[in-house]
Amino acid sequence: MIVSAFEAWRQRQRGAVVRQTRHRSRARLAWAVAESMGLPALFIGVSALLHPVDPFWVLSRFPWAWLAPLIVALRYGFVLGTTSTVTLLLLWFAAPGWGLAPGPQPFPREYFLGGLIAVLIAGEFADVWNLRLRGTSGAARYLEERLTALTRNHFLLRLSHERIEHELLTRPSTLRETLLNLRTITQAAAATPDAPPLPGGKEFLQLLAQSCQIEVASLHAIERGVFKGQPVATLGQPRKLETRNAMLNEALSTGELVHLLSAEYEAAEQAASGQAVMSSGVTDQEPYLVCAPLTAANGERIGVLAVERMSFVALNQDVLRLLSVLVGYYADGVAAASAIAPVRAVVPDCPDDFALELTRLTNVRAEIGLDSALVALEFPHESRDDAVDHTAENLRAADLYERAQRLPRQIDIVWGVHSPERDVLLILLPLARRAGVEGFLARVESIFHVQFGIGLDSQYATTHTALLSEADPAWQLRDMLIRCRLTTFISHEPMTITTRDASPSSSSPSSKADVA
């Protein structure tokens, strides 16, 4: 029942986002249509003033009037380019009645036919390259998210190792363990139907108090660019959030941590102080020392941290850099917790990074159309032939599984699943089409053949493949586990799984030969 309620809440949230996206798309489409019809009219109107004898430039050596439809076709593509051409054609018949042309003239067939062909070619060119540009931009956004999260984790690991000697004597756990506990608390809170906007906010402020010596601070949630009413968590006794504060607005506009000595804040404060002096002659004292926006790796702004008081010795570059990384790490955890909660509800043992990347790649497939693949390498413990010695077979399966763990690339995400009957290696291949899956399986088979003298899809190893569709990621992972006969890892609680494409044809082939 809890999972069903959470899924219903998730559907409502997704519907709100879809409606907002559709509203923006309709506004852009209306502007594009208006531009495709208004640009030829504007061009003919200017030509009627500058060249009243022949405003359509039919008798000139170059048909300048066709520049407007060509520009529209290169910018918006085939359909709106044709719309602009039709607008120019209608202007030809309406120009004499409006006084934009000297009088009725014979219809120039070659003039309009040649212009239409040029516009069609330009529109087709624009459609092809706009499609390629959207695909490349989507892949770049996904890789940028991965790189941002990886950079934060690497910097956090280095700082954690540097502080181990100093923290181990006075604190019961290291910074890394504390962050892992915080992420666990965040994910557990996000899995509830009535999850707060920033789950684990109180624990996060306690971590900042220990690591960065913060004494008074408040954590505020942002939803669709608007602050929520009350702070999610507080440390000490902070004042009410001043939404018009120069430091806070500078942090929100730049998306980066801003402190009292930042050059950007000093410039903004000087401008605000000048306006205040001109109006009232006095300025208020700055209430905040540090303002840090909570921005996830995907660019989503989910909240802001306002620090009013902290230790004087802690206000240095190293501590501020650590604070910035901790804020980003927490924002990534909150965004990831809400994204992987549906997957963890269906497959409770699924690792966080695997569930997160599965959700991200499914969204990339649904929004942009870039394919990714889910590959499973199954190594049974018992031979299908009773004549084979079981001890030797188990050793061979262990060797194959250990060698397969070293085959994925750096960008691939791996989850090793163990059961009494078999070992299964689930591999996510980001941005891999059918040819990429076939190449990966060919490389695996070549290595197995050289080292062990066996091939894939034999009694020693079995492959299962699926191209990610627009269906719910939890459903796709559940389907792969069922195909690998790992039903014990699937939750049997009542659940409601929403699919973007419920057709059975959305799932990919289940064998290496089918993918080819």
Side-chain angles (χ1 to χ4, degrees):
M1 181 178 296
I2 294 177
V3 177
S4 301
F6 175 78
E7 288 296 334
W9 173 82
R10 184 166 170 263
Q11 290 180 12
R12 291 195 298 270
Q13 296 296 324
R14 182 182 297 175
V17 174
V18 170
R19 286 192 297 270
Q20 186 178 6
T21 304
R22 289 178 178 175
H23 178 72
R24 294 178 180 176
S25 300
R26 291 172 182 172
R28 288 195 296 266
L29 179 61
W31 174 258
V33 172
E35 187 175 349
S36 65
M37 300 178 65
L39 191 60
L42 178 63
F43 193 94
I44 295 302
V46 174
S47 297
L49 297 177
L50 301 179
H51 197 255
V53 178
D54 186 15
F56 288 85
W57 305 87
V58 177
L59 304 177
S60 301
R61 294 185 178 181
F62 183 80
W64 296 101
W66 282 101
L67 285 180
L70 279 175
I71 293 174
V72 173
L74 288 174
R75 178 175 175 83
Y76 296 109
F78 172 84
V79 176
L80 292 182
T82 305
T83 303
S84 185
T85 302
V86 173
T87 303
L88 188 64
L89 179 63
L90 295 177
L91 288 173
W92 168 268
F93 292 105
W98 292 349
L100 299 178
Q105 298 180 4
F107 183 75
R109 297 181 180 178
E110 295 183 358
Y111 171 82
F112 279 99
L113 179 61
L116 177 61
I117 294 175
V119 169
L120 294 180
I121 294 174
E124 182 66 21
F125 175 84
D127 288 338
V128 171
W129 283 101
N130 285 335
L131 181 61
R132 294 184 181 180
L133 180 61
R134 284 194 297 269
T136 305
S137 300
R141 284 196 302 269
Y142 170 76
L143 295 177
E144 185 178 359
E145 291 180 15
R146 291 285 303 274
L147 179 61
T148 302
L150 186 63
T151 303
R152 288 174 175 172
N153 290 337
H154 277 220
F155 182 75
L156 187 62
L157 181 63
R158 182 176 69 85
L159 292 179
S160 178
H161 285 179
E162 291 177 355
R163 290 190 167 199
I164 284 180
E165 294 83 1
H166 303 283
E167 296 178 351
L168 193 58
L169 297 177
T170 58
R171 298 176 187 174
S173 61
T174 62
L175 178 62
R176 186 70 173 181
E177 293 173 350
T178 305
L179 286 174
L180 292 178
N181 294 334
L182 175 63
R183 176 155 290 190
T184 302
I185 295 173
T186 303
Q187 292 172 356
T192 59
D194 54 346
L198 297 177
K202 183 177 180 181
E203 291 80 3
F204 175 62
L205 287 184
Q206 293 176 354
L207 170 64
L208 295 183
Q210 292 180 351
S211 303
C212 304
Q213 302 182 31
I214 293 177
E215 300 175 1
V216 179
S218 57
L219 191 64
H220 302 266
I222 297 178
E223 184 176 353
R224 299 180 183 177
V226 180
F227 285 101
K228 303 290 285 185
Q230 297 295 329
V232 177
T234 59
L235 185 65
Q237 295 181 352
R239 67 179 69 188
K240 185 179 179 181
L241 184 67
E242 299 182 6
T243 57
R244 297 185 180 181
N245 180 263
M247 180 184 297
L248 180 63
N249 293 329
E250 182 67 22
L252 294 177
S253 62
T254 60
E256 299 178 356
L257 182 144
V258 178
H259 55 88
L260 196 60
L261 302 180
S262 298
E264 296 84 358
Y265 163 68
E266 290 180 355
E269 179 65 16
Q270 289 177 1
S273 300
Q275 295 177 359
V277 169
M278 291 177 61
S279 59
S280 61
V282 295
T283 58
D284 295 333
Q285 186 179 1
E286 174 58 52
Y288 302 122
L289 295 178
V290 178
C291 289
L294 275 64
T295 306
N298 58 2
E300 180 184 3
R301 191 85 35 88
I302 60 176
V304 65
L305 171 68
V307 179
E308 299 183 17
R309 186 170 31 171
M310 62 187 300
S311 176
F312 177 76
V313 296
L315 195 59
N316 57 67
Q317 194 66 27
D318 292 337
V319 175
L320 291 176
R321 188 182 297 114
L322 173 62
L323 177 61
S324 177
V325 173
L326 291 177
V327 168
Y329 188 87
Y330 172 71
D332 288 342
V334 173
S338 59
I340 69 176
V343 179
R344 293 293 295 271
V346 179
V347 186
D349 295 331
C350 181
D352 298 342
D353 56 347
F354 193 91
L356 179 60
E357 295 307 320
L358 177 64
T359 304
R360 285 178 176 174
L361 293 175
T362 303
N363 293 335
V364 169
R365 175 65 179 84
E367 296 173 1
I368 306 173
L370 293 178
D371 291 326
S372 298
L374 178 61
V375 178
L377 302 179
E378 179 183 351
F379 306 99
H381 290 174
E382 296 184 359
S383 173
R384 301 171 189 171
D385 187 358
D386 295 335
V388 179
D389 180 64
H390 287 182
T391 303
E393 179 65 20
N394 290 336
L395 292 176
R396 182 181 295 274
D399 295 339
L400 291 174
Y401 178 80
E402 182 179 357
R403 183 65 183 91
Q405 284 183 310
R406 301 193 295 269
L407 293 177
R409 308 163 298 174
Q410 289 286 343
I411 194 176
D412 300 334
I413 309 297
V414 181
W415 176 26
V417 185
H418 305 280
S419 68
E421 295 81 14
R422 60 187 54 82
D423 293 332
V424 178
L425 196 66
L426 294 173
I427 306 171
L428 267 177
L429 303 178
L431 310 179
R433 300 178 182 272
R434 297 179 185 272
V437 177
E438 180 66 22
F440 174 78
L441 295 179
R443 182 164 63 91
V444 174
E445 186 168 13
S446 176
I447 294 176
F448 281 5
H449 181 75
V450 171
Q451 294 190 1
F452 303 99
I454 63 173
L456 295 178
D457 295 324
S458 63
Q459 64 179 358
Y460 305 106
T462 305
T463 61
H464 305 277
T465 62
L467 293 179
L468 297 184
S469 65
E470 298 180 6
D472 193 285
W475 180 266
Q476 299 185 68
L477 181 58
R478 178 179 180 272
D479 179 66
M480 180 60 72
L481 291 177
I482 291 176
R483 287 159 57 183
C484 297
R485 290 167 290 180
L486 296 173
T487 55
T488 57
F489 292 88
I490 301 174
S491 175
H492 297 285
E493 297 180 0
M495 57 187 177
T496 303
I497 300 180
T498 58
T499 57
R500 301 183 181 92
D501 186 3
S503 61
S505 61
S506 62
S507 59
S508 298
S510 60
S511 66
K512 181 185 69 172
D514 293 336
V515 173

